[in-house]
Amino acid sequence: MIRLTLRSLRAEALRMLLSALAVVLGVAFVAGTMIFVDGMRDGAYERAGTFDRHTDLGVYATGAELLSPALVDRVRAVDGVAAADGELTNTGGLLGSDGRPVLGFTMLVAIPTEQALRSYDVVAGRLPDRAGEVVLDAPTVAEEGFPLGSEVRVGGSGGAARAYTLVGTVDVAGTVRDVGGPFVGLVGPDALALTGQRGYGRIMVAARPGVSVAAVTERVRAVAGGDATVKSRQRILDEAVEEAVRNADQFRMLLLIFVGVAVVVAGFVIANTFAIVLAQRTRRTALLRLIGATRGQVFRAALLESAVLGLVASALGVLLGVGLAGGMRLLMSHLDVPGTSGLSVTGSTVLTGLLLGTALTVCAALLPAWRGTRIAPVAALTDAAVQPSRSAGRVRLAFGAVLLAVGVAALAGAASAGQLVLVAAGGVLTFFGIVLFGPVLVPALARVFGWPARRVLGATGALAVANTVRNPRRVAATATALVIGIGLVSAFMVGARSTKDGIERSVDAQIGTDFVVSGIGQNLPAALTGELAARPELGVVHEQRHTVVAGVEIRAAHPALVSRTLSEVVAGDATRVGPGQVLVHRELAQARGLRVGSPVTVADRSFQVAAVVTDDTSADAPAGHVIDMSDADFAALFGGQRGFLAEIDPAAGVSVERARDAIETVLGSYPTVNLMDQGAYKKMLTGTVDMLLAFVTALLGLAVVIALVGVANTLSLSVVERTRENAVLRAVGLTRGRMRAVLAVEAVLMALVGAVLGVGLGTGVSASAMALLTRLGGDFHLVLPLGQLALILGVAVVAALLASVLPARRALSRPVVEALADQ
C-alpha cells in the first residue's frame, strides 16, 4: 500500500499542486515571521548596553521624580567612584541649513562629559565637553551639509531654538537611540535648560579600577536615599534586553494572529481538495477493497499521502519564508524603521514550519480520508466514477442555523448590553454559522447571483449555475474560505472609515479656528503662545490647557471659541467668560448648589459663575465636574501647565495667507512645533488609522490569496471529475468559447458568494463595534466606504476569472473522442 500510495501521489501531482501551494504560502508566512522576529531579538541582544559599555552601576529615578544635579555631585564624591554624570533623554527639534525644521522625531540626549563614561562611536570631531557645544548623528549632518564648527540651532520644550557649535558627529544607527530622525547630544546643563527639565532620568557611575563594585554600590545607595534605585551593570543590561525582547515578542504575537488566519484558510482549502480527490477515486478505492485491502489500510494510505504532500510543501514554504523575511527586512530598512537587523534561521524555526505544515495537511485530510474508507467493494462493479453528491445532514444545518441566528443577535445586542465581548462572540458565532449552514446558504446565493448569467448567456449560464450548485458542500467549503479573509479585511475597512469620520467630526466640533499649532511629541514651549498673541495679524490665539484640582477639571477657555463645544447653556451667558468669570458644568453645579452669580473658589482664588453649561467632551475628572476659565486667569493660577495644541484665527480684515506668514515667522525659532490648517490636522490624526489599515490589509491579503487558490483548485478538480460530461457537451455542439464561459461563471459565482458573505460579516461586526463605542460615550457612526468595498468585490471577481483560465485550458486540451473514453 505504501508503494501504491507514493505512485498515486506522483501520478496525480498536478491535481495536488494548488493544494500544496496553499500549504507553501501558509508555512512561508509562519516561517518568515519567526525568522524576521528572531533577527530582531538577536539585534536586541547586540544593542543592549551600547551606551553602557563603561557603566558599572546606575542610579535611576523612581516614578515621575527626577534626580537633581546636586545628587550627581554627591554621587561623584562617593569613595571609590571614578566618574559620575547625569543622563536624560527627551524630544527636541533641529533647524536645518535652510532655516526650516528637520523632519523626523528628534531625540535629544545629555551626553556625559566624564571620559570614563563615554560610550558613543565618534565618526568625526569629538563629543561636547562644555556648554554651547553639540553633536549630531552623521546622516543628519551629511543631509543638511553642516560643517564642523558651524552654528546649529536646536529647540526644546523649554523655549525657542538656541545656537550651539557643532563639534562632532556620532553613529547611533541600529541602537535604541536611532528613532528615525535626528540625534542631538548636549552636555547635561544645556540639555536641562533646553528641555525645561529640573533633573536627570539616571546617573551613570564608573568605579575606580581595583575597587569593589559591590562596595561602591552600597555607598552610592546610601547617598541616593530611598527615592532612587541603584542598579548593577548586569541588571541594566538584563532590563534593556528584556524590554527589547518583549517588544519583539509582542510584534511576533501581532503577526502570528494574521498567520493564524492564513493557516485556517489553508486548512479549509486542503480539506476541500482531499474531499474532492478522494471522491474522484471512488472506483479505485472500491477495487482495492475488492481485492482485500482493509478499511484501515485505505485510511492510512490517504494519511500517508497527505503527510508526504504536507512535508514537501512545508519544506518549500520554509525556503519561501526565508525570502519573505528578507523582503520584510529590506522594506523596514527602506522605511527607516529602527531595530531591524540580520535574519536568524534557527533549527526550531525550520522544525516548526515542517511540523506545522505537515500536521495541518494531515489534520485537514482526516475527515475526507475517513469518509473514503466507507466505500463498499461493490462500488467497483458500477460505472460510477465518483461518489454522488451528498447533501449536508439535518443536524448540521439546524445547528448552523441556530449559530447564525445567535451570532447575528449578539452583534445586534452588543451595544445595548455594553459588552465588547459580545461583538467578538457575535462575529465568531456568525462565521461558524455560515460554515455549518453554508450548504444551504451558499447555493441559494449562487442561484441569485447567477440570474444575470442565465439571462445574458442563456443555456450556457444556466449550465454554469447548475454546475456550481450541484455539490452544495463543496461549493460551501470553497466560498467559506474566502469569508474569513475578506470578512476581516472589510471589518477593518469599515471600522477605519467610521473611526476617521468620528475623528473628523470631533475636530470640527472642538477646533473652531483656521490654524492649529501642535507640539511634536511634547507640549508647546512656554513663550510661544505669548509671541503669537503679540502679532497684530492674529486675532484669536488660544492654547488648550487643563489641569485637575480637588477632583475638578479646570480648563482654559477663550470667549470666541468656548461655545463650539457646548451642547447646552442651562443658565447665564457663556460668552461672558473672562477675568473673574467662569463657566461651571451642570453636574458640578448640582453637586455644589451653584448657580449664575454664585462664588466658586479655585486654587484659593474666588470667581463668579457666569453660566451653567453642559458639553459632550470627555474630562479627566468625574463626568461634568468641569470649570472653564479665561486664558489669563488660568495662566495666573497654573502658569507652569502647558498644552499640546494652540488654536489660531486671523485678525479682522487679515487674509489667511498673511496670518499664515505671521505664524510661520514666529515658528521659525521653534522647531518642536508644527503648523497645520484644519484639513492637515485631520489628516495627521487619521494618518495612523490609514497606516494601520494598510498594514492589516497587506497581512490579511495572503489569506485572501490562499482562498482564491482554493477556488482555482476546486474548479480544476471539478474539470477532472467532469471529463466525460464536458466531452459530451462538446460533442453535441458546445463551443470552446462557451466552455470557457461556463467555467468562468462557475469561478465568479464561488468567489462572489464568498466575498459578499465576507463583506456582510465584516460590515456587521464593524456596525456592532461602532454602536457600542457610541453607547460608551463616543461619537461614532457607521460609515460604509462603498468604493473600497466595491473594490474588494471587483478584485474577487477578476481573480476568479484568472483562476478559471488553467482549468478551462485543461478541459479543452484533450480531444473529444479521447475524453469520451475516460473512465
Side-chain angles (χ1 to χ4, degrees), residues 24-25 27-37 314-333 341-345 349-350 702:
V24 169
L25 293 176
V27 172
F29 203 173
V30 174
T33 297
M34 297 179 69
I35 292 169
F36 179 72
V37 177
S314 299
L316 295 175
V318 171
L319 293 176
L320 181 60
V322 176
L324 180 63
M328 292 174 65
R329 178 180 177 273
L330 186 63
L331 176 62
M332 293 293 189
S333 62
S341 57
L343 303 182
S344 177
V345 183
T349 297
V350 174
L702 181 63

Side-chain angles (χ1 to χ4, degrees), residues 146-180:
F146 289 133
L148 291 181
S150 63
E151 181 183 275
V152 174
R153 297 184 64 82
V154 181
S157 58
R162 304 180 186 183
Y164 299 89
T165 301
L166 180 64
V167 297
T169 61
V170 294
D171 179 15
V172 295
T175 69
V176 294
R177 290 175 187 171
D178 177 15
V179 293

